[in-house]
Amino acid sequence: MPSPILTHSYYSDFFANKGYAFLKKMASDYQPPQELVIFSVMHCYEGSLPYINVLAELGSKLVFIPKSATAEQNQGLKETIETIPNCEIVAPQFNKQSLRDPATAEALIRQSIGADSQFLILDHGGYFSHTIEHLSQVFAEQCVGITELTANGLYKYLNKSFTKPLVTVSHLSIKAPADYEASECIVHYSDQILREEFGLKINNDEFLKVGVIGAGNLGRGVIQYLKGKGISCIQVADIDPRKLTQFPRNGVQVSSLERLVKQCNMLFCCTGNGALSEVLLDSLDKSVFIATVTSADDELRLPELIANGALVEVGGHQLVREYHTRNGHSLFLLAGGESANTPFKTGMGDPTLYLFEAAHMLAGLQLLEDPSRFKAGVQALSEKDEIMIAERWLNHFYNYG
């Protein structure tokens, strides 16, 4: 077997090899079928290379579907990924929007599998959620099942009726460290974008009033790192008032969403699904800066807002995209409307990403080994498996044993 391709452009061999060895060891307990095709949706980060290599070694083919936010700016990395044995990147026409069409999704699978192939979908963000009912019928004998990595992706699969099992790892406690790592990156790079493009510092209370919409793992992490930057007046809103009860004792002001939007002009949207309604945008009486923790297509339902005329794009580039509201106020989407850390390199020095990658992969391997243990529809990876992953990760990276 040729050596894995674990790095692309900078010196992180130690961390890459360490992560590859961990994921490889996690997979070694299983014997996937020879004629296995894996469809994997993931970001086009250099930090993904160890995971991509392990997935490509599990079966006869890995079909890599890069998330558009990072694929468009990492063409060189895509070329590196294409050199990995048994790995192919889908053509550009197979993207998030086109895969909502059942015929397009079916065509992608048909061109990638053989008559004797089984296939597994490792989804990230619900790319196949719109077509899963169709695919599970058309490929009833060959589709083993689906795994979903994120909460916003899982949301898209809910209330769908499909005959294959979907195993979610979106709400596992071992995913929390990576969420907090992402929160740190989002705050750091939002500050960097504000400085680079507007000459603003995120902790200048005179110019920026900061609000956080959503009090889940990512929202709480954003607040933690905002406080670390010396921001003394942070407002937080959430549709679930139970999540807000922890904040007053920690010096964070709780607020209704309407009041937060009225009083703040730097918004971190951390809900994963429709943080700002059309009515709220119409009520804006000032220009605002917005950072999202996932694609604005999901976080703000941006295509709907544009189609309804609530927002009109007026310009921008990779770091900032500007829209106008109906009232003529500017809405500046940092990172062009993607998660605010996507324009920048993501390294492998923090091994928390291997926790959720291991869980995502393990869910798929268990589907392959014994599909009968899973029922049709949505279910979570077991607590026992989560504990096992945590123990192995601690032993591998931190000599826990």
Side-chain angles (χ1 to χ4, degrees):
M1 182 179 293
S3 298
I5 302 169
L6 303 180
T7 57
H8 169 65
S9 62
Y10 62 93
Y11 298 104
S12 51
D13 294 317
F14 169 76
F15 294 115
N17 278 297
K18 192 87 169 171
Y20 171 80
F22 170 68
L23 294 171
K24 189 73 175 172
K25 190 174 181 180
M26 289 293 303
S28 65
D29 294 336
Y30 297 85
Q31 291 295 325
Q34 282 294 107
E35 294 299 318
L36 171 67
V37 178
I38 299 174
F39 295 87
S40 178
V41 181
M42 73 177 82
H43 275 298
C44 200
Y45 286 141
E46 182 152 1
S48 303
L49 284 173
Y51 187 38
I52 295 170
N53 275 269
V54 173
L55 292 181
E57 293 165 6
L58 287 177
S60 58
K61 185 189 297 184
L62 172 66
V63 180
F64 179 78
I65 304 167
K67 292 176 76 68
S68 58
T70 47
E72 294 170 0
Q73 61 206 20
N74 286 312
Q75 293 299 322
L77 180 56
K78 286 173 64 177
E79 293 172 7
T80 297
I81 293 170
E82 287 177 330
T83 65
I84 296 173
N86 302 327
C87 180
E88 63 180 44
I89 299 181
V90 298
Q93 67 262 29
F94 296 112
N95 54 39
K96 182 179 181 179
Q97 295 302 320
S98 68
L99 288 175
R100 295 183 175 189
D101 173 51
T104 301
E106 180 182 339
L108 170 62
I109 291 174
R110 287 200 183 280
Q111 73 176 35
S112 304
I113 66 173
D116 299 323
S117 299
Q118 290 181 280
F119 70 87
L120 181 69
I121 298 173
L122 304 184
D123 207 350
H124 181 166
Y127 271 47
F128 287 90
S129 60
H130 298 275
T131 58
I132 190 58
E133 293 169 316
H134 174 76
L135 297 177
S136 63
Q137 291 179 351
V138 172
F139 299 103
E141 300 301 318
Q142 292 177 284
C143 178
V144 178
I146 315 101
T147 70
E148 172 56 53
L149 184 65
T150 65
N152 69 302
L154 174 62
Y155 177 84
K156 298 173 187 175
Y157 281 101
L158 298 179
N159 301 319
K160 300 285 176 67
S161 177
F162 49 95
T163 57
K164 295 297 177 180
L166 183 150
V167 183
T168 174
V169 299
S170 61
H171 292 91
L172 299 182
S173 62
I174 58 172
K175 196 168 179 288
D179 286 341
Y180 280 97
E181 166 69 10
S183 299
E184 181 182 21
C185 290
I186 288 164
V187 171
H188 173 76
Y189 289 124
S190 295
D191 188 22
Q192 184 169 333
I193 293 169
L194 287 169
R195 290 169 185 254
E196 179 72 21
E197 297 299 318
F198 300 97
L200 289 170
K201 291 176 63 178
I202 201 168
N203 58 358
N204 191 321
D205 287 347
E206 186 63 30
F207 294 97
L208 295 178
K209 306 297 181 185
V210 180
V212 177
I213 304 171
N217 281 346
L218 286 162
R220 292 195 302 272
V222 165
I223 289 170
Q224 174 184 328
Y225 293 110
L226 287 170
K227 291 177 72 175
K229 286 188 172 289
I231 300 175
S232 58
C233 184
I234 303 168
Q235 291 191 41
V236 58
D238 195 283
I239 59 172
D240 185 348
R242 294 172 299 176
K243 293 182 179 180
L244 298 176
T245 57
Q246 62 188 294
F247 292 106
R249 62 182 293 272
N250 291 317
V252 177
Q253 181 179 347
V254 296
S255 176
S256 67
L257 180 56
E258 292 75 15
R259 188 174 70 181
L260 183 148
V261 171
K262 185 173 183 62
Q263 295 183 351
C264 298
N265 63 346
M266 174 68 232
L267 306 179
F268 286 88
C269 295
C270 310
T271 69
N273 183 44
L276 292 173
S277 68
E278 189 172 333
V279 172
L280 281 173
L281 290 174
D282 286 343
S283 72
L284 287 176
D285 58 2
K286 59 185 176 304
S287 295
V288 296
F289 304 92
I290 292 181
T292 60
V293 300
T294 186
S295 166
D297 288 0
D298 295 327
E299 186 62 59
L300 302 178
R301 296 179 187 166
L302 187 61
E304 294 177 30
L305 295 174
I306 293 172
N308 293 340
L311 290 177
V312 176
E313 185 173 351
V314 295
H317 49 78
Q318 182 184 1
L319 293 183
V320 180
R321 193 158 296 278
E322 182 180 359
Y323 297 81
H324 282 173
T325 68
R326 288 191 178 100
N327 294 328
H329 298 294
S330 291
L331 188 150
F332 300 103
L333 286 183
L334 305 190
E338 299 296 338
S339 179
N341 55 339
T342 54
F344 302 93
K345 283 184 177 178
T346 297
M348 291 166 279
D350 183 340
T352 54
L353 81 161
Y354 300 120
L355 278 166
F356 66 77
E357 287 177 345
H360 202 204
M361 178 181 68
L362 181 68
L365 290 169
Q366 289 185 351
L367 282 169
L368 290 165
E369 183 181 61
D370 185 12
S372 63
R373 67 180 281 193
F374 299 96
K375 65 182 189 297
V378 175
Q379 55 244 273
L381 194 69
S382 73
E383 183 180 25
K384 179 181 176 182
D385 289 322
E386 184 179 11
I387 291 170
M388 179 270 291
I389 293 169
E391 287 180 341
R392 290 193 180 187
W393 182 83
L394 291 167
N395 280 325
H396 186 83
F397 291 101
Y398 297 105
N399 302 312
Y400 169 72

